[in-house]
Amino acid sequence: MRVRQQLVEALDDLDSALASCDLPDSDRLLIQVFSGALRRNSIGDIQGALARLYPMAAVIGCTSNGVISGGRVHDGETILFVFTEFEHVDLNVHLLTHTQDNHFASGQAVATKISTPSTKAIITFSDGLSTNGQDYLKGLNEICPRAVVSGGMAGDAGKLLETFVFDKADITNNGVVAVALSSDRLQLQTHYCFDWTPMGQKMRITKADANRVYEIDGAPAKDIYAKYLGKHIAEKLPIGGVSFPLMVERDGIYIGGAVSGVADDGSLVCGRNIV
């Protein structure tokens, strides 16, 4: 297995930069794309370049809040391509746009589409604003309980207006893309790191429904942000919600729920279930 990264800082440089990678096209080449270029037509340019230079490769991508390469964070319209060349791994990609508000079913549908008896891992990206990540992952796990799942949710440079995921040909702002890695020879190592640190007093979520939080300690959830972080933070939500996620303790383990939206009734919408 070989892994190589290619950083592209301008869309005009796409073809030349990708050609300079000098990697052979193959149906066992996985290309992951993390795009600081956020417009739909910009992603179309990326897809076109990959289709010309790597028509056989498996492609999954998402828009981002910035990319990390060489120990540096690059913002703006920088695009990071991560090439992984396998020898004995089959790659199956599927993109799904949610047709209903049942993201558990979406996870089941994706896993059914891409998995085989030898699937060892799934890499998946979801849009960052619409998908309930926890329900989606539960659906994947229902079909592929032994597969290691990694990935994340798309960003849009912190604007929280529209995020995209895509494969080689299609794109969606309300869905998921995934690739299954299947092989009897594939060996995996996993690691988990949760670097958020709780601050302030412990509070109790007193009213919530799945990923929507209505009340904390009996007060409107948005008012809690105003009380402890200031009215200017609360008024700008969901902007800033990623920097100050709700941290829920369950059985001594913390989980994070970043605020990705504010509903019309004032409740806070998180990227995962809180209850």
Side-chain angles (χ1 to χ4, degrees), residues 132-147:
N132 184 315
Q134 186 175 11
D135 285 351
Y136 170 61
L137 290 176
K138 283 182 178 179
L140 288 177
N141 186 67
E142 180 77 13
I143 303 300
C144 298
R146 294 183 177 85

Side-chain angles (χ1 to χ4, degrees), residues 3-11 13-19 21 23 29-37 42-43 45-51 53-54 58-62 67-69 77-84 166-167:
V3 179
R4 181 170 179 175
Q5 294 187 359
Q6 181 66 50
L7 200 67
V8 180
E9 295 185 308
L11 286 169
D13 299 332
L14 269 175
D15 282 85
S16 59
L18 291 175
C21 293
L23 287 170
L29 176 65
L30 172 62
I31 304 174
Q32 299 177 68
V33 187
F34 304 93
S35 177
S42 299
I43 296 169
D45 292 339
I46 296 170
Q47 292 172 315
L50 290 172
L53 295 167
Y54 297 99
V59 174
I60 63 169
C62 63
V67 301
I68 301 173
S69 178
E77 294 198 340
T78 303
I79 307 160
L80 178 65
F81 296 86
V82 181
F83 296 83
T84 307
F166 53 95
D167 59 13

Side-chain angles (χ1 to χ4, degrees), residues 40 43 47 59-62 92-99 106 109-111 113-114 123-127 136 164-179:
R40 185 182 287 266
I43 296 169
Q47 292 172 315
V59 174
I60 63 169
C62 63
N92 297 314
V93 174
H94 184 60
L95 181 145
L96 179 146
T97 297
H98 301 305
T99 57
S106 294
V110 169
K113 187 74 174 181
I114 63 177
I123 302 172
T124 184
F125 306 133
S126 76
D127 75 88
Y136 170 61
F164 294 102
V165 298
F166 53 95
D167 59 13
K168 194 183 304 180
D170 298 315
I171 177 173
T172 181
N173 62 357
N174 179 33
V176 297
V177 65
V179 57

